[in-house]
Amino acid sequence: LWMRLPVFILNLYHGSVSVGVFSVAQQLAEKALLPIQAVQDAIYRKMSTLSTDDAILVMNRYVRIVAFSMVAITLMGGLIAPWVVRMLFGSSYQDAADAFWILIIGAAFVSVAMIVSTYVLGQLERPGLLSMLAGANAVVCALLSANIKDILFVRRADMNLLVTEAIALAYRKNAKV
């Protein structure tokens, strides 16, 4: 819900053209998370069977690897985004490349949060914590989206998701359970 909320707000205030540009950018940014989802699936079993101290060490190692990987993906994606958008969707969607640059930064935050979520589920066995975080993300995104009608249209929606993802990551990394 919280990742789709800006789409509803954009459609309400700016119509389907802005939604189309934003959707193209969001779909491209989500593709950057596919390798991270595979890593998340692969490490879940290992994470849930290790002792707590070993799981923390392994999680920190995976977080560093994912963070460095996403920095590389972010830089590479930012460089080739205008060309990819023009090739796949045509020049009428060129604004999606600008929106993608913002969203790919948020994807880097989400990728680290995905690895931390594996620890929360596999080691701490606290799915309720993740559900509360998803609800908090929806509320924060809704509050940030309240002003979307005033300035920057699509880029404002991108920034809302970026801020929400950064807040969620910070909370997951610092949550005391």
Side-chain angles (χ1 to χ4, degrees):
L1 174 66
W2 63 273
M3 290 189 75
R4 301 295 183 240
L5 189 60
V7 172
F8 295 119
I9 303 294
L10 276 173
N11 191 37
L12 179 66
Y13 291 110
H14 302 291
S16 59
V17 173
S18 293
V19 170
V21 169
F22 181 81
S23 294
V24 166
Q26 190 171 26
Q27 288 176 18
L28 290 174
E30 287 174 355
K31 299 302 181 233
L33 293 175
L34 288 176
I36 308 305
Q37 290 170 343
V39 168
Q40 183 184 27
D41 292 343
I43 67 171
Y44 178 77
R45 181 171 181 228
K46 183 176 185 176
M47 190 70 68
S48 61
T49 58
L50 291 173
S51 69
T52 303
D53 292 335
D54 291 338
I56 290 171
L57 292 173
V58 169
M59 181 198 60
N60 287 332
R61 183 177 326 124
Y62 284 130
V63 165
R64 284 191 300 274
I65 291 169
V66 165
F68 289 130
S69 300
M70 285 306 292
V71 166
I73 289 171
T74 300
L75 293 174
M76 185 176 62
L79 291 174
I80 66 170
W83 178 78
V84 170
V85 169
R86 192 175 321 109
M87 185 182 79
L88 294 177
F89 303 102
S91 60
S92 60
Y93 282 93
Q94 199 58 41
D95 286 343
D98 296 338
F100 172 77
W101 291 338
I102 297 170
L103 289 175
I104 194 70
I105 295 168
F109 287 110
V110 167
S111 66
V112 173
M114 289 169 67
I115 300 303
V116 174
S117 296
T118 304
Y119 174 79
V120 171
L121 286 174
Q123 197 56 230
L124 302 178
E125 299 175 359
R126 302 281 306 264
L129 176 63
L130 296 178
S131 297
M132 289 187 317
L133 288 173
N137 283 342
V139 169
V140 169
C141 193
L143 292 173
L144 291 172
S145 294
N147 293 326
I148 204 170
K149 62 183 189 284
D150 295 332
I151 56 173
L152 295 178
F153 306 147
V154 172
R155 287 172 194 80
R156 177 69 181 221
D158 298 338
M159 290 304 295
N160 290 345
L161 282 179
L162 174 61
V163 170
T164 303
E165 291 160 353
I167 290 170
L169 173 62
Y171 182 78
R172 284 182 186 165
K173 285 293 285 182
N174 296 314
K176 303 289 186 216
V177 284

